[in-house]
Amino acid sequence: MPTAGDRVGVAELKRLAHEVRNAMNGVAVSLEVARSRAGRGAPPAEVYPFLETAAQQLELATQLHKQYTDVATTLATDGEACGAQRTPIHDAPGA
């Protein structure tokens, strides 16, 4: 049975996953604009800002992924310390 701490941890994982998706969407949109502008012959000064934004969003996604991994590791370690039984993913219902 999940504890209050587990529920908070899961909520944090969901929040971080959403933020990673947001950052990756920013990468995709910025790269698509850069590709489109470069494809029609826009000068580098019109393309570069979108590439810079994509790089910044990728860095943000990387930082958020690290936070996600840290929270997931903490949850897994806490569960193991409590003697919780983990179901291998291939044995999980619906797998």
Side-chain angles (χ1 to χ4, degrees):
M1 177 163 197
T3 67
D6 289 340
R7 287 189 294 278
V8 168
V10 169
E12 180 65 2
L13 287 176
K14 287 180 180 180
R15 183 192 72 77
L16 287 166
H18 180 79
E19 293 300 324
V20 168
R21 282 191 305 274
N22 284 347
M24 294 308 295
N25 185 59
V27 171
V29 168
S30 295
L31 289 176
E32 180 57 27
V33 171
R35 185 196 64 76
S36 175
R37 289 184 182 204
R40 67 172 195 254
E46 287 184 26
V47 175
Y48 180 79
F50 295 96
L51 297 175
E52 185 62 33
T53 297
Q56 291 168 356
Q57 290 295 300
L58 184 57
E59 178 61 31
L60 175 60
T62 301
Q63 292 169 2
L64 290 165
H65 181 265
K66 166 110 177 52
Q67 291 175 25
Y68 182 96
T69 303
D70 290 346
V71 172
T73 300
T74 298
L75 286 174
T77 302
D78 289 351
E80 290 168 8
C82 295
Q85 296 293 321
R86 300 285 180 205
T87 302
I89 192 76
H90 53 80
D91 293 339

